[in-house]
Amino acid sequence: MNETIRQLTDDDLQALQDMDTGIDDDYVIRVFDRISTGNNRLFGLFQDGRLASIGGYTIFAGSYAMLGRMRSDVRFRGQSLSSRLMAHVRDAALDHPGIRFVGANTQEFNLPARRVLEKIGLSRQAELFSAIAKNVETFESGALPWRKIASAEEKMRWLELVYIRSGRVFPFECYYPFPASPDLFSGQALEQWDFYENPNGDRIVITKHDVKKYDYLHTLYPWDDLFEQPGLWETLHAPLENIRRDSEEGAFVWMDLTRKQVGTLSNGHPFELPSPWFLYGTDIQ
């Protein structure tokens, strides 16, 4: 049997459509042109000319590679194809100059994907729950919203204090957390995030408009006292409404929560809490 692995091009779209992955309306087919160009690469493993398995990566902030989009044709499963393919994808990502981290994000229940990532040398580094709610007004207490930070210098001071020094995971986008480093926070990226500081000057909440099919107010709050800080939830009200006004599908709050933070949620809270996401990765020295 002849087996080859190579980067996919526009000419491979029909081969991708011919795969039987068991996934209805697979977004990989719908956005194939976007996830195989620019900072994105998609690779395929072919057996005797037939596309049997795919996977790829995306480069973020010039230094981080996130692996993903693993699929295999059900007619070829049981041959460890994904492991061989993703080892190749990992090595291709490492060929990029300046790469300091290679990782992948997958949910706890996705045991096949987790096994593949472990086989190619990635270890589990963090766990986050993607908590999504249509609104969080039920948490408001009538306190004043927090002060919006204007200067890039103040933003970087907070990032250095809370994320970079500790190596804490920073959710760069919905679905894409990375170990924090200065590389993540270029001037252009920093402008996309809004920072709000509490009256005591010892807490911040960070928000950004993100789009992953739906519109989200992506919200980062790295402390466990979610319900002990007056004005925290009021701070989210105006930016969420701003997104909602221009959204055809409606807007949602997306918060990446730790297991400890999830434990502070009361019964009847408005969040959807799917299976937690595990970040796998390896630092590149």
Side-chain angles (χ1 to χ4, degrees):
M1 181 175 293
N2 181 35
E3 181 175 290
T4 59
I5 297 175
R6 62 170 174 79
Q7 185 176 332
L8 300 181
T9 69
D10 290 344
D11 295 335
D12 297 306
L13 178 57
Q14 186 59 56
L16 179 61
Q17 293 171 333
D18 290 340
M19 290 180 68
D20 181 6
T21 62
I23 301 174
D24 295 328
D25 189 27
D26 192 351
Y27 83 94
V28 166
I29 295 175
R30 285 189 279 109
V31 298
F32 176 72
D33 58 337
R34 179 161 58 85
I35 63 174
S36 57
T37 57
N39 289 329
N40 306 282
R41 295 290 184 273
L42 201 60
F43 294 82
L45 183 152
F46 293 80
Q47 286 195 347
D48 293 334
R50 294 177 61 186
L51 185 57
S53 186
I54 66 168
Y57 64 82
T58 299
I59 302 296
F60 292 88
S63 300
Y64 295 81
M66 186 67 86
L67 311 183
R69 294 159 189 144
M70 290 184 283
R71 281 120 173 87
S72 291
D73 191 309
V74 297
R75 295 165 292 188
F76 292 87
R77 287 180 183 168
Q79 303 179 44
S80 299
L81 301 186
S82 288
S83 296
R84 296 202 294 279
L85 173 62
M86 295 311 293
H88 179 95
V89 174
R90 174 206 60 204
D91 292 343
L94 290 174
D95 284 341
H96 281 263
I99 290 296
R100 58 176 293 135
F101 176 85
V102 175
N105 207 31
T106 191
Q107 285 182 285
E108 180 181 35
F109 69 81
N110 195 344
L111 295 178
R114 290 169 58 189
R115 283 194 291 268
V116 168
L117 298 176
E118 290 164 2
K119 282 183 180 179
I120 66 172
L122 305 187
S123 60
R124 202 172 107 190
Q125 300 203 350
E127 173 193 67
L128 290 171
F129 289 79
S130 301
I132 299 171
K134 190 169 185 179
N135 66 70
V136 290
E137 293 178 2
T138 184
F139 299 138
E140 295 181 15
S141 63
L144 292 175
W146 294 358
R147 176 184 73 92
K148 187 174 182 178
I149 292 175
S151 74
E153 290 76 15
E154 266 193 285
K155 291 181 179 181
M156 278 305 305
R157 180 182 68 82
W158 271 112
L159 291 170
E160 177 73 30
L161 178 66
V162 178
Y163 287 99
I164 296 174
R165 290 181 189 174
S166 65
R168 190 193 302 261
V169 168
F170 185 87
F172 188 73
E173 293 182 9
C174 298
Y175 295 119
Y176 295 111
F178 299 105
S181 79
D183 292 351
L184 281 179
F185 308 118
S186 68
Q188 183 178 4
L190 206 56
E191 292 174 1
Q192 298 175 4
W193 293 306
D194 292 323
F195 287 54
Y196 302 88
E197 184 180 81
N198 73 347
N200 291 336
D202 61 0
R203 294 288 188 273
I204 53 161
V205 62
I206 305 173
T207 68
K208 184 180 72 169
H209 180 192
D210 201 350
V211 181
K212 295 292 188 291
K213 185 177 180 182
Y214 300 106
D215 289 282
Y216 294 102
L217 181 68
H218 192 198
T219 302
L220 314 182
Y221 184 76
W223 292 276
D224 297 331
D225 53 1
L226 288 164
F227 305 104
E228 301 169 22
Q229 293 293 324
L232 170 60
W233 300 99
E234 286 83 355
T235 303
L236 306 183
H237 188 94
L240 179 61
E241 289 303 313
N242 288 339
I243 296 173
R244 185 167 285 146
R245 278 197 294 270
D246 298 323
S247 175
E248 295 181 1
E249 301 286 346
F252 304 84
V253 173
W254 176 309
M255 297 188 76
D256 290 288
L257 302 179
T258 64
R259 188 174 291 274
K260 189 171 183 179
Q261 287 174 318
V262 168
T264 68
L265 296 176
S266 60
N267 292 332
H269 65 77
F271 287 108
E272 294 181 13
L273 286 172
S275 172
W277 290 82
F278 290 166
L279 174 66
Y280 283 81
T282 181
D283 292 311
I284 308 305
Q285 303 300 326

